[in-house]
Amino acid sequence: MDFLSSLFGDQLTEERLFLLLRVLIILVVGLPLLFILRRVLNRHITRHYSQHYGMLAGKLVFYLGMTILLITLLHEFGFSLTPLLGAAGILGIAIGFASQTTVSNVISGFFLVAEKSFVVGDVISVSGNVGVVYSIDTLSVKIRMFDNRFLRVPNETMIKSEYINITRFPIRRVDCHVSVAYKEDLSRVSEVLFDVAAKLPYSLQEPPPLLIFDKFGSSSIDLLFVAWARKENFLKLRNGLNMGIKERFDKEGIEIPFPHVSVYAGSATKPLPLDLISRDGTVLSTGAQSGIGTGNPGSETD
Amino acid sequence: MSALYPEIISMELSNWPIITINDREVYRHRVGPLTIFMKRLLNEIWVASTRDESIRGTPSELPEKPEWVRMSLPGDFEKYRLQPVMPDMPVIIDTEHAYRFVSKTSTRVYSRIPVWVRIAPESREDLVIADIPTVILSETWFGTFTDGEPSYALSSTARRILTEDLLEPHLVVCPLEIRNNSDDELKFEKVCLRVERLSIYARENALWSDETVINYQGMDSSTDTEMKGVRPRESGDAKLVSKPRSPVRKSIGQKTFRLLKDFHIPGF
């Protein structure tokens, strides 16, 4: 006490020392308690309900606790709250005008949470960026993209833009675009496709797979084959179906055609001349001599 | 609870034995199309499995590159129990042909469901080492596009008469009593059987489940599904070998039938 008195002189009265002690106790006890409470609540609610509610409850308790702590400290320092609140009102308007974007983000955040179009842990696609919702904060939505980049989207932008919640519903559809040659028997193709899906245990039997005739393509008949999987098996089914179809088509001799392209140089009526060259570099024949590539326009060389 | 679930009888059935595994020795056992391989290494147990076309005979050979699953145990256990258990999700039984019940009628049908093999140390049955399906069933969805539950799909003729030759060691016979108590006609082609709430009884290697009674009350009322919790009369003096995964005894009012009226419309 004597040491402190010598250090601070008349400034340090007994009353002020007790005030300092009280403030220290409030801070030393209050702050860690608040952090612990937030963590415990977050963990408990996440375990029993969902990660989203855990995060919300944690934040709510933390901000409420911080406000109470601040009010208590102000009270300890002898500030009266009534004029403070009045001043806060006037100040609030001024700050509101000055920080419209921030306020807009805060309000948008409330709407995002209330609307529940997505929750923490959902996979969403925003402007072509796909990732897992990491947190919904006061100002922004944080997304962990699949290549482990971090995406921050302001709440206001989220409210204004379209986004897709990929994991909202429990089952998802896998679309397989399949092309077969014109010569193929479509009923046989259909049989093979349904059999491939049936052999994959994670391809749901209900809703059943579906084959849709898409169009007569330039080089192929284009089909759309769709099957359903639980959302957690989506990638497994997509890989399984595409690989299974390729394997079975090869086995059954069903041709998957590829586009045939003719390349012309210069005039559209004159095909690209080709020279035949042996392995040792000897020119066997030129395009003009052999007639290679000098066919009528429309005849294709591939 | 104990009144509803009598103690499991420790009996030796050739398909569900208590096995002794010596250190570093590979043990093989066949249940239907499934062959299980087990190996013990100090306090570790190694489990692998394979399936083939046949459902009887000697166990399959150990594959060239078996996919072993290792598990470290809290002790050095020598004896292990192989136990039949029900699948871990409901089973949707597709009756092949649509079934129609006029008002106030009932019927008793039998479905056979492939069991899973549970491996646990004999002295520590709570220590489940593995649950392995004897047959891999396709998954299906019971519900709408936005809500429902994952299930296994099983095609069944829903037999009215069960003969001895249909009893297989890896298939549990589920007697199903369907009652149409409503004034409407009941038309369905799929039944959701909540197998995780059924016990398994065994007699001479034939497996039986509890009786399930489905009371259809009409389109506007939910369907009562009642698991009797007693062995079916057809099973004779079969003994309880496996308790339900999720023991719920009271009658449950849940969606049970896939009605023809409610038949799937592709989400396109």
Side-chain angles (χ1 to χ4, degrees):
Chain A
M1 187 70 187
D2 289 340
F3 168 73
L4 286 172
S5 296
S6 67
L7 204 66
F8 294 102
D10 295 342
Q11 301 292 318
L12 192 71
T13 60
E14 196 175 327
E15 192 185 335
R16 281 182 181 168
L17 188 69
F18 278 120
L19 170 71
L20 203 66
L21 268 175
R22 281 206 301 275
V23 168
L24 272 175
I25 289 169
I26 289 169
L27 285 176
V28 169
V29 176
L31 275 178
L33 197 73
L34 213 53
F35 280 108
I36 292 168
L37 195 68
R38 178 170 73 167
R39 181 179 280 192
V40 169
L41 202 69
N42 192 339
R43 213 178 274 177
H44 179 80
I45 293 179
T46 300
R47 195 182 304 145
H48 289 91
Y49 299 96
S50 71
Q51 198 185 352
H52 181 72
Y53 288 126
M55 182 205 72
L56 286 182
K59 277 189 178 159
L60 190 75
V61 165
F62 184 73
Y63 289 127
L64 200 71
M66 282 297 264
T67 312
I68 293 169
L69 215 64
L70 191 70
I71 290 169
T72 314
L73 286 177
L74 287 173
H75 183 72
E76 285 297 327
F77 284 118
F79 287 98
S80 172
L81 286 178
T82 320
L84 261 180
L85 287 174
I90 299 160
L91 203 67
I93 295 166
I95 292 171
F97 275 114
S99 57
Q100 277 184 38
T101 314
T102 309
V103 174
S104 168
N105 275 326
V106 172
I107 293 167
S108 301
F110 283 118
F111 284 118
L112 279 177
V113 169
E115 196 185 37
K116 272 183 75 178
S117 302
F118 59 88
V119 294
V120 174
D122 275 348
V123 177
I124 61 169
S125 167
V126 194
S127 314
N129 295 309
V130 184
V132 184
V133 178
Y134 191 67
S135 71
I136 304 167
D137 291 334
T138 322
L139 297 177
S140 62
V141 174
K142 271 81 171 190
I143 296 166
R144 186 187 68 78
M145 290 166 71
F146 286 128
D147 54 4
N148 232 13
R149 283 184 296 164
F150 180 81
L151 177 68
R152 179 189 177 274
V153 187
N155 288 339
E156 193 189 356
T157 314
M158 283 300 286
I159 283 280
K160 282 180 184 168
S161 59
E162 278 179 14
Y163 52 85
I164 301 166
N165 187 339
I166 294 168
T167 50
R168 172 69 178 263
F169 299 123
I171 52 173
R172 283 186 67 191
R173 199 185 74 188
V174 174
D175 292 357
C176 273
H177 296 274
V178 184
S179 298
V180 292
Y182 272 91
K183 68 178 171 66
E184 299 301 341
D185 174 6
L186 288 186
S187 57
R188 177 74 193 129
V189 170
S190 160
E191 214 172 275
V192 168
L193 288 173
F194 282 102
D195 191 51
V196 169
K199 283 199 164 69
L200 297 169
Y202 34 82
S203 167
L204 298 178
Q205 286 202 4
E206 185 96 2
L210 197 65
L211 180 64
I212 297 143
F213 193 106
D214 190 11
K215 64 172 191 251
F216 292 106
S218 53
S219 319
S220 58
I221 290 176
D222 298 336
L223 308 166
L224 174 64
F225 184 65
V226 300
W228 291 79
R230 284 155 73 180
K231 63 183 175 188
E232 56 270 32
N233 290 336
F234 175 80
L235 279 181
K236 255 199 231 174
L237 179 62
R238 197 162 84 171
N239 286 340
L241 265 185
N242 284 311
M243 290 168 81
I245 289 170
K246 172 74 173 68
E247 198 178 302
R248 278 295 297 278
F249 275 17
D250 287 350
K251 203 172 154 188
E252 304 279 338
I254 297 170
E255 188 189 338
I256 303 175
F258 50 88
H260 296 230
V261 179
S262 296
V263 182
Y264 296 94
S267 164
T269 55
K270 286 184 180 173
L272 183 72
L274 294 176
D275 291 342
L276 277 181
I277 300 169
S278 68
R279 283 180 191 278
D280 60 3
T282 319
V283 179
L284 297 174
S285 64
T286 64
Q289 291 168 345
S290 64
I292 296 169
T294 56
N296 295 324
S299 69
E300 294 176 353
T301 312
D302 51 47
Chain B
M1 202 70 173
S2 57
L4 284 170
Y5 297 106
E7 277 308 298
I8 289 178
I9 304 298
S10 179
M11 57 181 189
E12 280 284 340
L13 296 165
S14 60
N15 284 297
W16 307 101
I18 293 165
I19 54 174
T20 304
I21 306 175
N22 298 317
D23 203 25
R24 290 163 207 273
E25 185 184 85
V26 178
Y27 177 86
R28 295 184 302 160
H29 183 74
R30 176 188 281 277
V31 183
L34 173 78
T35 298
I36 294 167
F37 306 96
M38 291 172 75
K39 186 164 76 170
R40 193 165 68 85
L41 208 71
L42 304 172
N43 71 328
E44 265 185 23
I45 187 87
W46 293 39
V47 180
S49 61
T50 185
R51 290 173 193 82
D52 58 22
E53 297 296 313
S54 104
I55 54 168
R56 285 184 202 90
T58 53
S60 304
E61 289 302 319
L62 186 69
E64 232 172 78
K65 287 181 182 171
E67 287 182 17
W68 290 109
V69 176
R70 291 167 64 173
M71 193 169 172
S72 190
L73 300 177
D76 204 358
F77 301 100
E78 271 188 358
K79 290 190 169 181
Y80 295 86
R81 178 193 284 274
L82 301 183
Q83 188 187 15
V85 287
M86 282 291 192
D88 61 348
M89 294 195 294
V91 175
I92 307 294
I93 298 170
D94 188 337
T95 55
E96 283 185 7
H97 307 290
Y99 223 130
R100 296 163 74 112
F101 285 81
V102 292
S103 173
K104 313 290 179 198
T105 52
S106 69
T107 192
R108 190 177 178 85
V109 291
Y110 302 95
S111 278
R112 299 183 305 162
I113 292 169
V115 291
W116 289 29
V117 180
R118 173 167 290 178
I119 305 165
E122 195 215 359
S123 53
R124 282 284 307 275
E125 285 187 14
D126 58 310
L127 211 65
V128 176
I129 292 166
D131 273 353
I132 309 168
T134 52
V135 175
I136 304 276
L137 293 176
S138 287
E139 287 186 8
T140 189
W141 188 251
F142 196 66
T144 64
F145 288 103
T146 55
D147 190 26
E149 58 186 323
S151 316
Y152 293 114
L154 184 73
S155 184
S156 166
T157 45
R159 292 171 180 82
R160 295 295 312 273
I161 299 160
L162 198 71
T163 51
E164 280 288 320
D165 58 310
L166 292 170
L167 301 174
E168 296 288 351
H170 70 291
L171 298 174
V172 57
V173 179
C174 299
L176 203 63
E177 182 122 353
I178 302 166
R179 297 173 186 160
N180 180 8
N181 298 330
S182 73
D183 295 326
D184 313 323
E185 185 182 60
L186 167 63
K187 292 181 280 187
F188 74 91
E189 58 177 31
K190 286 183 171 70
V191 179
C192 176
L193 198 58
R194 299 185 186 277
V195 293
E196 68 278 24
R197 291 166 185 163
L198 296 175
S199 311
I200 299 178
Y201 303 86
R203 183 174 58 105
E204 293 163 10
N205 285 324
L207 301 174
W208 298 82
S209 80
D210 300 329
E211 273 191 38
T212 302
V213 179
I214 299 171
N215 291 300
Y216 179 67
Q217 315 288 3
M219 275 293 277
D220 302 328
S221 315
S222 66
T223 303
D224 279 342
T225 308
E226 194 182 343
M227 278 82 176
K228 288 281 185 187
V230 289
R231 61 173 181 242
R233 56 178 183 266
E234 300 90 336
S235 69
D237 60 349
K239 300 284 186 288
L240 180 73
V241 287
S242 177
K243 292 176 185 177
R245 283 179 184 266
S246 318
V248 175
R249 267 293 164 260
K250 60 183 179 187
S251 171
I252 45 171
Q254 274 181 301
K255 219 179 337 175
T256 300
F257 293 114
R258 166 68 67 179
L259 300 172
L260 280 176
K261 281 179 194 170
D262 191 28
F263 193 60
H264 171 71
I265 300 156
F268 209 79

